Amino acid sequence: MNYRQSNTASQTLLLSLKEGSLLFSTTYTDYLLVLQNELTSELLYVIPTIITENERITTLGISTNANDPLNASILVNHGGRWNYIVYGQNSNTNLDPADAVVVGEIERGFIEFSSLINYYDQPTLTIPSDIEYNA
């Protein structure tokens, strides 16, 4: 489960997408991210920006704010749980998962979009400066 904030610019998504290249004999250069809201079945399509990629982790840049200049911009202005499917493709403009440039499905999972929620509280720790040594 990934947690992201709704209506927020320049967010990163860490996924293990390079494993998907082992499934296909055809290589791919770009990704297509398809999001579907679990309650409303609303579909959103975006081509995320590949920030870094290695054998274990792919860092994708997305924005959930339509006014962000980042190309990978989708408007998610209400929270909720969304499922996602990532497709490998050889186009940086295609938004259709059934198009011929799509190599295949690489990963699926869930993203929870919410509004500025702290998932944990940072405790204030008081560490005593006295040192006791028992030899």
Side-chain angles (χ1 to χ4, degrees), residues 63-109:
S63 175
T64 55
N65 183 339
N67 296 326
D68 189 34
L70 187 65
N71 279 344
S73 180
I74 50 177
L75 182 58
V76 178
N77 54 10
H78 53 84
R81 186 168 148 146
W82 297 67
N83 59 49
Y84 71 86
I85 302 174
V86 179
Y87 296 94
Q89 67 174 357
N90 290 314
S91 170
N92 60 1
T93 57
N94 174 52
L95 295 176
D96 181 12
D99 195 275
V101 297
V102 174
V103 176
E105 179 183 324
I106 298 172
E107 182 175 309
R108 58 176 57 211

Side-chain angles (χ1 to χ4, degrees), residues 2-23:
N2 290 287
Y3 295 94
R4 296 293 166 263
Q5 295 178 352
S6 58
N7 201 16
T8 305
S10 300
Q11 300 186 73
T12 57
L13 192 59
L14 301 171
L15 303 172
S16 54
L17 300 178
K18 202 60 175 173
E19 296 170 352
S21 65
L22 302 173
L23 301 173

Side-chain angles (χ1 to χ4, degrees), residues 33-45:
L33 176 65
V34 179
L35 295 165
Q36 183 177 19
N37 188 299
E38 289 192 338
L39 292 177
T40 63
S41 297
E42 175 185 4
L43 284 168
L44 299 174
Y45 302 89

Side-chain angles (χ1 to χ4, degrees), residues 38-59:
E38 289 192 338
L39 292 177
T40 63
S41 297
E42 175 185 4
L43 284 168
L44 299 174
Y45 302 89
V46 66
I47 300 170
T49 304
I50 301 171
I51 298 172
T52 60
E53 186 169 42
N54 60 37
E55 289 78 24
R56 301 198 65 184
I57 299 293
T58 302
T59 304

